[in-house]
Amino acid sequence: MQLHISRSMRSITISSSSNNGFIDLMKIKVAARHISYRTLFHTILILAFLLPFVFILTAVVTLEGVNKCSSFDCLGRRLGPRLLGRVDDSGRLVKDFYKILNQVKNEEIPDGVKLPASFSHLVSEMKNNQYDARTFAFMLRAMMEKLEREIRESKFAELMNKHFAASSIPKSIHCLSLRLTDEYSSNAHARKQLPSPEFLPLLSDNSYHHFVLSTDNILAASVVVTSTIQSSLKPDNIVFHIITDKKTYAGMHSWFALNPVSPAIVEVKGVHQFDWLTRENVPVLEAVENHNTIRNYYHGNHIAGTNLSDTTPRRFASKLQARSPKYISLLNHLRIYIPELFPNLDKVVFLDDDVVIQRDLSPLWEIDLKGKVNGAVETCKGEDEWVMSKHFKNYFNFSHPLIAQNLDPDECAWAYGMNIFDLRAWRKANIRETYHSWLKENLKSNLTMWKLGTLPPALIAFKGHVHPIDPSWHMLGLGYQNKTNIESLKKAAVIHYNGQAKPWLEIGFEHLRPFWTKYVNYSNDFIRNCHILDSV
């Protein structure tokens, strides 16, 4: 703001500088001959009285939030903050609130304090009770901590429920087994020999492609066999060897007797039908079955002894997974005895019962294993934390001296579930003996060397005997993570629902289930009568 008196004393001009140059606010012309210094003094006095009102007006307009204006009547909207020294206080307010939050961060919350049920209730109470900023911050912290506790408790409860669901047998699948077992006793067709006598020599013919499947789940076995045959370019060259337990044998035999999969050949045998599987040959498994610590660990209270406040949901889920009863099942350990169970075979492909075959697997027999025993997909070169980023340190307790002395924590792990086994090379190695000896050591140490089932001792027993195969042959993790890449899934030869979320369970992931259910024959009478629906 400038006051300018012309040299001729004929005019007085009040002006202001701006981006557009000088703007005249007021211009007073006076007579050249009759002006006096007294008149000039009075004029200046009047202007001094009026200018504060001009400043107040510009400040009020500026506070209304208008930032840009070009006309004279809103000049104050541009000049007000500068003339009045006004600045943005939001940064100072944030700093003050941080200070208050730090003050209440470590204060103890009384046990009986009544907390609002929601943020809107908190705002309402703040308005009604005239909370100061410190009280508001304290209540907000108490509400947050309460919600965190509730969410944590709900997460642990969800994990327990999933564990129980994954460990149980669905009513519909139990129904299927019972009805087929009853059919075996009453229907001669359900008891017919598998395979027919003329095909018996093919069970040991190495020109055929032999698959081995060990399971007590009839529905899952049917999906594995059906998907393999439908995906094969030469189904007449396939022989399936299905091994099950004594209680499931009759139902499993009935299913494949009544639902032939020709031109492929299917053999169904119960564990009790293998003369080699005596307690003398597998003493360690008897020890596993009868060891009280083991039975309590796998069948006891999974919460007892666990401090939920001192663990994370992720670690708790891993512990529950490791306590699945299937890990002490003979059917699960049976894969380590394949060379003895099939003494006349040279090469087999072993499949888990929670896989689906989407591509012809005959090229697997052409893979050169370079003298190795086990062709498997490595699981240490992916980014996901559940399945494909596993090293030995994820399975073993390296604080145990025997583990630390004999194993490398960064060694790459590999996957069970789809494996090519060269049985000729296997019979020349001491894999089974190594497997047994490490199982015994873990029993002696009360399971302190590892917790998770059959894979850890197999990682040791097959050490130096594994040939990595291309990951596209075997895609894992469909029972762990619902963010599985669908395009990659469609291209995989074998997809594996390893994890709790099996496709035949209600906890299975809905968008991944159709890749499994497409191989279920829903027109079958037994499937319909047991209400096994594609919605599961």
Side-chain angles (χ1 to χ4, degrees):
M1 185 77 65
Q2 294 181 353
L3 181 67
H4 179 70
I5 302 175
S6 66
R7 292 182 178 181
S8 63
M9 302 293 290
R10 293 184 179 182
S11 66
I12 301 172
T13 303
I14 301 172
S15 61
S16 173
S17 60
S18 70
N19 294 333
N20 299 323
F22 284 89
I23 300 176
D24 292 342
L25 296 180
M26 187 176 295
K27 191 169 184 178
I28 302 173
K29 294 184 178 180
V30 295
R33 297 179 181 180
H34 302 286
I35 188 76
S36 67
Y37 285 104
R38 184 174 182 178
T39 304
L40 178 63
F41 172 78
H42 287 155
T43 303
I44 294 174
L45 189 64
I46 293 171
L47 290 175
F49 178 78
L50 293 175
L51 282 176
F53 292 99
V54 175
F55 282 109
I56 292 172
L57 178 62
T58 59
V60 170
V61 175
T62 301
L63 289 174
E64 292 176 351
V66 179
N67 296 320
K68 293 183 179 180
C69 188
S70 58
S71 63
F72 174 81
D73 63 337
C74 60
L75 176 65
R77 304 181 190 185
R78 301 196 314 271
L79 302 179
R82 185 181 301 171
L83 295 174
L84 297 179
R86 182 178 176 272
V87 295
D88 186 4
D89 287 339
S90 61
R92 181 178 59 80
L93 291 174
V94 171
K95 290 179 181 179
D96 290 344
F97 196 60
Y98 283 160
K99 184 178 179 180
I100 294 171
L101 288 175
N102 285 326
Q103 288 175 354
V104 304
K105 181 172 63 176
N106 298 320
E107 291 187 14
E108 185 176 352
I109 300 174
D111 294 335
V113 64
K114 185 179 179 181
L115 298 176
S118 66
F119 183 77
S120 61
H121 289 161
L122 174 63
V123 174
S124 177
E125 288 190 14
M126 182 180 177
K127 180 179 179 182
N128 295 334
N129 300 327
Q130 297 296 310
Y131 286 166
D132 57 21
R134 188 176 181 281
T135 304
F136 172 75
F138 182 83
M139 297 294 286
L140 190 62
R141 174 200 156 203
M143 288 178 63
M144 291 291 294
E145 291 185 2
K146 179 187 175 185
L147 290 173
E148 286 174 359
R149 286 194 303 271
E150 292 176 351
I151 292 172
R152 183 181 177 84
E153 291 170 1
S154 298
K155 185 63 178 179
F156 283 121
E158 177 192 358
L159 292 172
M160 281 300 302
N161 291 334
K162 281 187 175 181
H163 174 70
F164 292 139
S167 302
S168 63
I169 301 174
K171 181 180 178 181
S172 57
I173 292 181
H174 184 59
C175 164
L176 181 66
S177 181
L178 290 178
R179 286 178 177 265
L180 288 167
T181 299
D182 180 65
E183 194 74 10
Y184 184 84
S185 62
S186 60
N187 185 346
H189 292 289
R191 296 192 301 273
K192 70 180 180 181
Q193 185 174 345
L194 285 177
S196 302
E198 64 270 22
F199 295 120
L200 288 176
L202 303 182
L203 297 179
S204 56
D205 189 338
N206 283 296
S207 65
Y208 282 74
H209 294 160
H210 295 265
F211 293 89
V212 176
L213 173 64
S214 176
T215 180
D216 59 356
N217 187 326
I218 298 171
L219 184 64
S222 72
V223 168
V224 175
V225 173
T226 301
S227 63
T228 303
I229 293 170
Q230 289 187 12
S231 301
S232 175
L233 299 177
K234 296 181 179 179
D236 55 342
N237 201 39
I238 290 177
V239 178
F240 257 99
H241 305 269
I242 300 175
I243 307 172
T244 190
D245 57 16
K246 190 173 183 178
K247 65 180 177 60
T248 313
Y249 170 75
M252 188 76 74
H253 187 105
S254 293
W255 175 265
F256 287 102
L258 298 173
N259 300 279
V261 292
S262 57
I265 298 168
V266 174
E267 173 193 33
V268 177
K269 295 196 75 170
V271 171
H272 58 288
Q273 296 176 316
F274 286 96
D275 296 334
W276 186 86
L277 280 176
T278 63
R279 294 189 181 275
E280 291 75 19
N281 288 331
V282 287
V284 67
L285 297 185
E286 182 180 7
V288 168
E289 290 177 354
N290 298 327
H291 198 289
N292 287 332
T293 302
I294 293 178
R295 294 195 65 81
N296 290 335
Y297 181 79
Y298 286 100
H299 295 284
N301 188 336
H302 295 341
I303 295 291
T306 302
N307 185 1
L308 297 183
S309 63
D310 195 36
T311 188
T312 64
R314 168 74 186 273
R315 286 200 295 266
F316 185 64
S318 297
K319 289 180 179 179
L320 289 178
Q321 174 69 12
R323 295 179 76 164
S324 173
K326 74 177 184 178
Y327 291 127
I328 59 173
S329 164
L330 176 58
L331 287 176
N332 203 38
H333 287 271
L334 204 62
R335 63 194 82 188
I336 204 68
Y337 306 113
I338 289 177
E340 289 78 21
L341 300 179
F342 302 99
N344 298 317
L345 295 182
D346 295 338
K347 183 178 285 189
V348 301
V349 168
F350 175 84
L351 298 173
D352 271 350
D353 64 359
D354 53 354
V355 304
V356 172
I357 314 306
Q358 302 188 128
R359 204 165 74 215
D360 178 40
L361 298 186
S362 58
L364 291 175
W365 272 262
E366 307 303 321
I367 294 177
D368 182 6
L369 298 182
K370 302 185 185 303
K372 306 293 186 181
V373 174
N374 180 4
V377 168
E378 291 182 318
T379 56
C380 66
K381 297 178 180 178
E383 295 182 355
D384 68 284
E385 56 185 359
W386 279 106
V387 181
M388 296 303 290
S389 57
K390 300 295 186 182
H391 297 79
F392 275 29
K393 61 187 175 186
N394 298 108
Y395 296 99
F396 297 100
N397 173 21
F398 275 87
S399 64
H400 193 286
L402 273 180
I403 296 295
Q405 292 168 15
N406 291 277
L407 302 178
D408 176 5
D410 295 319
E411 185 165 346
C412 189
W414 46 267
Y416 255 156
M418 197 289 290
N419 304 84
I420 316 161
F421 289 131
D422 184 335
L423 302 186
R424 291 172 298 182
W426 191 336
R427 294 185 186 104
K428 298 175 183 178
N430 61 341
I431 291 172
R432 176 167 56 88
E433 290 74 16
T434 304
Y435 187 90
H436 280 181
S437 64
W438 278 92
L439 272 180
K440 292 176 183 176
E441 290 294 338
N442 197 30
L443 290 176
K444 289 179 185 178
S445 68
N446 288 321
L447 306 181
T448 58
M449 298 168 71
W450 69 79
K451 299 289 187 185
L452 187 62
T454 56
L455 182 56
L459 290 175
I460 302 175
F462 284 100
K463 189 171 167 34
H465 298 286
V466 178
H467 176 74
I469 62 175
D470 192 277
S472 65
W473 283 110
H474 187 188
M475 183 177 186
L476 299 106
L478 277 69
Y480 280 117
Q481 45 198 3
N482 61 358
K483 295 182 180 179
T484 301
N485 185 290
I486 297 299
E487 292 305 315
S488 299
L489 185 151
K490 291 177 180 178
K491 297 175 183 177
V494 177
I495 57 175
H496 195 170
Y497 291 83
N498 58 313
Q500 291 180 321
K502 304 298 185 190
W504 55 82
L505 299 175
E506 290 187 9
I507 61 174
F509 300 125
E510 290 292 336
H511 64 296
L512 300 180
R513 182 176 289 139
F515 292 92
W516 184 85
T517 55
K518 66 188 289 188
Y519 296 105
V520 177
N521 180 11
Y522 291 105
S523 64
N524 182 277
D525 289 339
F526 291 99
I527 298 290
R528 288 206 322 271
N529 292 335
C530 287
H531 306 289
I532 299 176
L533 306 175
D534 54 1
S535 59
V536 186

